[in-house]
Amino acid sequence: MKNTFQKTAFITGATSGIGKATATLFAKRGYNLIVTGRRSERLLSIKQKIKKKYAVRVKALAFDIRDKDACKNAYMSLDREWKKINILINNAGLASGFDPIHRGQLDDWEQMIDTNVKGLLFITRLVSPGMVKRKSGHIINVCSTAGHEVYPRGNVYCATKHAVDAITKSMRVDLYQYGIRVGQISPGHVEETEFALVRFHGDKNKSKIYEDFVPLNSKDVAETIFFMATRPKHVNIQDILMMGTQQAGSNHIDRSGRN
Ligand code: NDP
Ligand code: 8X3
């Protein structure tokens, strides 16, 4: 393996969707990767595929991001070189359930809050001190259009993404003095992900929400994250709000067909 440690990207939630597409693109462009997710077999298979195709180093850490001890153990398992993380992409997250507030399931709410908000915070708390010490680093949080507006039945998912928006801004005001860039990406609907399947608890029929319009796909988002990550040092993109052409907002989608 001739690749030496140059740049390392830590990407949470890389077993599918946006995280997997982002990991693949960063590897293609020569970044070493730390990839995470709960599904260890899938994570290992992604690691093997990436290593076979691209001359980069890949570390796979399988753990549940809701568990703060598991986050800590995973991070502490990295040696000194691996801990020099240049880019942290806080991507792991989900929507669970699609109920109006008066019928919401408390388990769904807890899962979203624990993953999208607390998980993101746990990982940031572990990785950011090294960035502060080195006075360099870049953190990109995966927010959503749901972090900017709400829609019927979106309630708690939208609240978690509004929290991500606030956390991104707060992280930036705490970290910019150390030369650390903090930004977020806020996509609308994205296919080639398991997002809808997870939201509808594995119900394949209900998860067919992209059949009558063309949303973004996971590679569109990965390329935009890569663009954010590769601007010159003096440029920090704070947020990119992006949607498919047939989507004008959370509540405005042209569902007249896949044009
Ligand atoms: P996917 O379901 O395809 O990917 C979600 C990823 O998050 C998986 O790798 C999953 O891994 C990981 N994850 C979920 N829960 C946990 C957990 N408890 N511990 C560790 N990892 C976890 O969906 P997307 O790619 O669409 O989602 C990625 C991000 O993009 C999310 O933050 C989502 O909110 C956001 N987003 C998605 C949009 C969309 O329309 N798809 C639009 C805007 C934002 P595993 O299951 O193996 O643990
Ligand atoms: C995912 C997009 O519109 O389902 O964040 O909230 S949406």
Side-chain angles (χ1 to χ4, degrees), residues 222-242:
E223 281 167 8
T224 311
I225 293 174
F226 189 77
F227 177 81
M228 293 171 77
T230 51
R231 291 313 83 212
K233 204 168 149 249
H234 67 285
V235 178
N236 179 35
I237 297 180
Q238 299 197 353
D239 192 2
I240 290 186
L241 182 61
M242 64 186 294

Side-chain angles (χ1 to χ4, degrees), residues 3-187:
N3 175 282
T4 51
F5 278 88
Q6 290 189 349
K7 287 214 161 171
T8 300
F10 187 121
I11 305 172
T12 66
T15 52
S16 65
I18 295 168
K20 183 179 166 189
T22 304
T24 306
L25 180 58
F26 273 69
K28 195 174 172 184
R29 302 298 177 89
Y31 283 74
N32 297 313
L33 300 177
I34 300 165
V35 286
T36 84
R38 285 165 302 180
R39 288 168 289 180
S40 54
E41 273 183 28
R42 216 199 257 216
L43 198 61
L44 282 178
S45 136
I46 287 165
K47 169 185 165 167
Q48 296 308 347
K49 276 188 194 146
I50 288 178
K51 278 183 71 170
K52 207 169 158 194
K53 205 156 174 201
Y54 310 108
V56 296
R57 297 176 187 220
V58 185
K59 183 72 91 180
L61 300 175
F63 61 94
D64 190 325
I65 208 166
R66 292 172 294 178
D67 178 343
K68 61 175 183 296
D69 293 329
C71 291
K72 189 172 179 186
N73 291 339
Y75 177 75
M76 294 313 285
S77 74
L78 298 170
D79 68 23
R80 253 182 71 224
E81 284 305 309
W82 274 112
K83 281 201 184 97
K84 288 180 191 156
I85 294 155
N86 302 96
I87 300 172
L88 166 62
I89 302 171
N90 279 316
N91 164 75
L94 79 165
S96 190
F98 194 60
D99 297 305
I101 199 77
H102 58 287
R103 287 207 295 267
Q105 301 296 317
L106 301 193
D107 287 347
D108 284 337
W109 294 1
E110 278 185 339
Q111 190 175 2
M112 289 187 279
I113 293 165
D114 290 351
T115 310
N116 302 358
V117 182
K118 290 167 72 178
L120 183 150
L121 288 169
F122 294 157
I123 296 297
T124 303
R125 180 65 184 83
L126 290 162
V127 173
S128 58
M131 291 181 167
V132 168
K133 210 168 163 192
R134 293 188 300 279
K135 289 198 164 48
S136 84
H138 195 166
I139 302 175
I140 299 174
N141 295 329
V142 178
C143 186
S144 167
T145 42
H148 297 272
E149 49 178 325
V150 299
Y151 52 86
R153 298 167 182 247
N155 44 64
V156 176
Y157 178 68
C158 294
T160 64
K161 291 298 180 177
H162 275 68
V164 170
D165 181 52
I167 291 167
T168 301
K169 289 171 180 154
S170 304
M171 281 164 58
R172 189 163 49 243
V173 297
D174 287 345
L175 297 176
Y176 83 102
Q177 61 196 299
Y178 303 104
I180 298 167
R181 292 184 273 183
V182 182
Q184 68 184 15
I185 185 160
S186 302

